[in-house]
Amino acid sequence: MKKTMIILAAILMAGSQLSAQVVQENEAAVVYYMPKTTVTITLNYEVIEEKPGIFYQYAERYLGTENIILEANKSYRLTDASCATTTTADTSRAYKVTSQKGFNSQLLTLSADGRLLGYNVELEAEIEDRKSESGEQIETKCEDKLMPLLEEQFMAGSIAKMAEGAAKQIYRIRETRLNLLAGDVEHMPADGKAMQLVLEELTKQEQTLVELFVGTRTIKASQYTFCYHPNASVENEVVCRLSQHTGIVNKDDLSGEPIYLTLEAKTQSLQPIAEVNSKAPALSQLYYNLPGTAKICITHKSKVMTEAEIQVAQYGVAIPLALELFTGKTPIIRIHPKTGNILSIQK
């Protein structure tokens, strides 16, 4: 193992970035690709929906409150964001393996899309969460509730009389709750748990009736997911917008506040030394990827929604393995499926 690491170090000192190879017509070769990283960005936001109660005009008269919803309204608010990475084959970085002494191309392990996963290892199932490019919204539907009014209130003949009856029902519920807490009732609940259930039910009934006056405000959690393909560094690039009235909109839709993405790319580069040692090991046709990194940040209204540092395969360079690795006992080489870097080498 120590010898293997020495060989790798020598390659890193002498190597430089190698461009992709071209397979000639009728050439017998196994072709594999370096990985390419895509960033999956998920925006989490809330849909806030407000609806006035049917008795909103009588809220101040019967309940003594001015804190009421006067008209229907729907608004959107960004809560946070998250980043994940997925991997595909980078067909612009293709490499070929032909017959070579000490190297068996049949021992190459490739993914379904042709990425190199290892040498002399079994293929393991890859599990990746791929999101829709167009975005995804998740909402919980609310069922309409029946008005919790008694028969005499429905038969009142006018909205004003119905509101008066509903208000009286609210005060009766409050009075009942106070009497229960004071122990001033003929039939008390059997135990503490029964008392709690009765009080909870009374509170629920009161809240439903109060909503007929002050209105309802519901909050639904939603998501929007899209893919971003890292290229060069960018600063405050508008990737989409959030409209307060319509939700996530296209980046060109000026009705929404911009959501910015800043990406700081850190590409790998290997500088060749002036003179290569003549004893440097011969190189095989097997290349692994030394990935670069990127700092990514999503902001909205000057607030950082998420930031992370990720490995980006296409920011990397291809490094050849020494042919000496494949002499003698067959090595076991494992390659990281997302970055293309070496996970382990065993002899």
Side-chain angles (χ1 to χ4, degrees):
M1 187 65 183
K2 184 176 180 181
K3 184 177 181 181
T4 300
M5 297 308 296
I6 293 174
I7 295 172
L8 289 176
I11 295 170
L12 287 172
M13 291 177 63
S16 60
Q17 183 167 358
L18 300 172
S19 57
Q21 300 168 337
V22 178
V23 179
Q24 304 298 326
E25 186 176 359
N26 298 324
E27 182 180 13
V30 176
V31 178
Y32 61 90
Y33 305 103
M34 291 298 176
K36 185 176 184 179
T37 302
T38 297
V39 182
T40 302
I41 300 172
T42 300
L43 303 176
N44 298 306
Y45 63 95
E46 292 177 341
V47 184
I48 304 167
E49 191 169 2
E50 296 179 331
K51 294 181 180 179
I54 60 170
F55 303 144
Y56 73 94
Q57 293 174 307
Y58 306 94
E60 186 177 359
R61 180 192 301 180
Y62 292 122
L63 300 185
T65 179
E66 297 180 355
N67 185 22
I68 59 176
I69 297 171
L70 298 177
E71 60 183 14
N73 182 51
K74 181 184 284 188
S75 60
Y76 297 79
R77 185 175 72 91
L78 190 65
T79 55
D80 60 67
S82 61
C83 297
T85 58
T86 58
T87 309
T88 56
D90 188 349
T91 55
S92 67
R93 301 174 70 196
Y95 295 85
K96 63 183 180 181
V97 176
T98 57
S99 299
Q100 189 174 1
K101 184 178 180 181
F103 185 87
N104 186 355
S105 61
Q106 294 182 352
L107 293 179
L108 287 175
T109 302
L110 305 181
S111 66
D113 58 359
R115 285 173 289 126
L116 181 64
L117 299 180
Y119 182 81
N120 192 27
V121 296
E122 294 183 3
L123 179 64
E124 297 180 0
E126 290 184 88
I127 301 176
E128 287 194 1
D129 185 19
R130 297 185 183 275
K131 303 287 186 179
S132 170
E133 183 85 24
S134 60
E136 176 185 4
Q137 294 189 4
I138 303 172
E139 292 191 1
T140 304
K141 295 183 178 180
C142 294
E143 298 180 357
D144 293 333
K145 298 179 180 178
L146 296 175
M147 287 195 300
L149 301 180
L150 302 178
E151 181 180 1
E152 61 185 61
Q153 294 156 7
F154 277 112
M155 300 297 289
S158 69
I159 290 292
K161 286 292 184 181
M162 290 174 67
E164 183 182 356
K168 289 180 178 179
Q169 191 174 340
I170 291 172
Y171 290 120
R172 282 197 296 268
I173 290 172
R174 291 176 178 177
E175 184 179 359
T176 300
R177 182 167 56 238
L178 286 173
N179 290 335
L180 278 170
L181 292 172
D184 190 17
V185 292
E186 185 177 349
H187 300 288
M188 288 289 292
D191 52 32
K193 185 175 182 180
M195 170 71 84
Q196 182 180 356
L197 291 174
V198 171
L199 292 175
E200 288 176 354
E201 182 60 30
L202 288 172
T203 301
K204 182 179 178 182
Q205 291 178 12
E206 179 188 358
Q207 180 63 32
T208 305
L209 286 164
V210 168
E211 286 176 353
L212 297 178
F213 292 88
V214 301
T216 58
R217 186 174 187 265
T218 59
I219 300 177
K220 306 172 188 176
S222 296
Q223 289 182 341
Y224 181 84
T225 301
F226 63 96
C227 293
Y228 184 82
H229 305 285
N231 194 3
S233 295
V234 295
E235 184 174 359
N236 290 334
E237 176 183 350
V238 179
V239 289
C240 59
R241 294 175 182 266
L242 179 70
S243 168
Q244 187 176 358
H245 303 292
T246 57
I248 301 293
V249 295
N250 190 277
K251 64 181 181 180
D252 299 323
D253 189 338
L254 300 183
S255 67
E257 291 283 345
I259 297 174
Y260 296 105
L261 181 145
T262 296
L263 185 139
E264 182 184 348
K266 296 182 179 180
T267 59
Q268 289 283 5
S269 61
L270 297 177
Q271 299 296 330
I273 59 176
E275 183 178 345
V276 178
N277 192 324
S278 59
K279 295 183 179 180
L283 304 180
S284 74
Q285 303 170 81
L286 198 63
Y287 296 82
Y288 68 93
N289 187 55
L290 190 63
T293 60
K295 288 184 178 180
I296 188 168
C297 180
I298 304 292
T299 57
H300 178 60
K301 293 183 176 180
S302 301
K303 180 182 178 181
V304 175
M305 308 310 297
T306 186
E307 56 183 345
E309 184 165 347
I310 59 174
Q311 289 189 307
V312 183
Q314 57 266 36
Y315 291 168
V317 291
I319 307 295
L321 289 172
L323 187 60
E324 186 177 338
L325 283 172
F326 303 93
T327 60
K329 187 177 180 181
T330 304
I332 299 174
I333 303 173
R334 291 183 172 84
I335 303 294
H336 197 293
K338 285 193 170 186
T339 66
N341 205 354
I342 289 179
L343 282 174
S344 64
I345 299 178
Q346 295 176 313
K347 285 285 283 184

